[in-house]
Amino acid sequence: YGFVDRVLVVDVPESLQIERLRQRDGSDEESARRMLAAECDRLARLVAADDVIRNTGDRAALACQAFTAHRRYQELAAPARRQR
């Protein structure tokens, strides 16, 4: 990933991901597992990540983590913007 400075991954355990897929789509567990199998492996995503947001809580908790990450990325980008 040499074309990016950082990689952010929003992570959730597979069991919770399956539960959420089933609730959202009304699909069975097998279909949910097939959907996950079509994505990049969770471990590979985590290995590639510089930063991880854990999406195991409610939307407010996720929003708080995303806001914190956004502020951090703005801080990291500030020196580069000043050099232009």
Side-chain angles (χ1 to χ4, degrees):
Y1 299 104
F3 55 94
V4 297
D5 294 326
R6 299 191 69 78
V7 174
L8 171 69
V9 169
V10 178
D11 182 53
V12 64
E14 183 178 288
S15 59
L16 184 53
Q17 198 171 9
I18 289 170
E19 178 184 325
R20 288 176 177 173
L21 280 170
R22 293 183 71 189
Q23 287 177 359
R24 184 191 73 192
D25 298 343
S27 60
D28 60 22
E29 185 170 342
E30 184 180 330
S31 296
R33 288 190 182 280
R34 280 196 308 268
M35 283 186 250
L36 294 183
E39 296 179 0
C40 180
D41 177 75
R42 181 182 182 208
L43 181 58
R45 288 191 305 263
L46 292 173
V47 167
D50 296 298
D51 305 291
V52 177
I53 290 177
R54 306 281 179 205
N55 186 13
T56 55
D58 59 17
R59 288 182 183 207
L62 178 62
C64 182
Q65 291 180 81
F67 180 75
T68 300
H70 177 67
R71 278 198 335 237
R72 172 81 174 121
Y73 283 6
Q74 286 179 316
E75 291 170 4
L76 290 170
R81 284 194 303 260
R82 284 192 292 268
Q83 290 177 2
R84 290 182 188 173

